[in-house]
């Protein structure tokens, strides 16, 4: 650990927090495309998409849980809240994926499950993954110094 990291425990913790949530952000950035050409293809590709979401959530949850004790007590509750939110979304996405996989032969089941898959993705899109840091003044300031957090707040380049 460098002297700078030792001198800035809040910055180090914020960077670790952002590094953990980056797993989900990366998974979302590289999601497979849903192929709606047939009900079977839609089910197959939706299952793959949800599998990628679940994998990203699993990595983010593990990363958040692996963080050392935070430098501010309120940050522990913020981390627990985010782990809980991620865990709830993960469970719903996994449940939808199972329904899709189990119901591939039934277009009605697939159609209903695809709507639920969209709802899970919309829930993720509505998350503010930095809220846990922004609600703790010391960590909010530290997140502005942390390289991992800066990567999450830089606007995407136009395509």
């Amino acid at each position: 650990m460098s002297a700078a990291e030792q001198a800035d425990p809040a910055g180090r913790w914020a960077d670790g927090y952002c590094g953990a949530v980056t797993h989900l952000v990366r998974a979302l950035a590289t999601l497979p495309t849903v192929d709606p050409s047939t009900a079977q293809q839609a089910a197959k590709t939706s299952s793959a998409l949800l599998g990628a979401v679940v994998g990203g959530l699993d990595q983010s949850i593990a990363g958040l849980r692996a963080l050392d004790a935070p430098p501010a007590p309120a940050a522990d509750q913020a981390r627990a809240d985010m782990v809980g939110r991620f865990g709830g979304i993960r469970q719903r996405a996994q449940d939808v994926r199972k329904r899709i996989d189990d119901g591939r032969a039934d277009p009605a089941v697939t159609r209903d499950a695809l709507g639920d898959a969209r709802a899970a993705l919309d829930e993720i899109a509505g998350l503010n993954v930095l809220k846990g840091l922004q609600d703790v003044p010391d960590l909010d300031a530290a997140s502005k110094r942390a390289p991992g957090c800066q990567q999450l707040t830089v606007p995407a380049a136009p395509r």
Side-chain angles (χ1 to χ4, degrees):
M1 182 181 311
S2 72
E5 289 175 323
Q6 289 176 356
D8 188 12
R12 187 176 65 249
W13 198 87
D15 196 52
Y17 180 101
C18 290
V21 299
T22 296
H23 293 294
L24 175 60
V25 173
R26 283 188 190 134
L28 295 176
T30 60
L31 285 178
T33 303
V34 173
D35 176 359
S37 62
T38 66
Q40 290 79 16
Q41 274 303 105
K44 179 181 174 182
T45 55
S46 294
S47 179
L49 180 143
L50 289 169
V53 168
V54 167
L57 286 164
D58 284 345
Q59 288 181 310
S60 287
I61 290 167
L64 288 169
R65 286 183 174 154
L67 286 172
D68 292 334
D76 217 19
Q77 183 59 50
R79 171 180 42 184
D81 290 347
M82 190 55 66
V83 166
R85 300 256 343 248
F86 281 177
I89 295 168
R90 184 221 179 274
Q91 187 59 53
R92 286 186 290 284
Q94 185 61 30
D95 290 347
V96 170
R97 184 177 183 207
K98 182 173 178 1
R99 284 187 20 234
I100 288 171
D101 290 347
D102 291 350
R104 282 191 186 165
D106 184 343
V109 170
T110 298
R111 184 180 55 250
D112 290 345
L114 291 177
D116 292 340
R118 179 69 187 169
L121 292 174
D122 288 345
E123 186 175 0
I124 291 170
L127 281 177
N128 175 359
V129 296
L130 296 178
K131 183 174 178 13
L133 300 176
Q134 293 165 340
D135 290 347
V136 181
D138 290 344
L139 291 176
D140 185 38
S143 71
K144 292 170 179 47
R145 299 186 301 271
C149 297
Q150 291 171 1
Q151 291 177 1
L152 290 174
T153 59
V154 173
R159 292 182 179 202

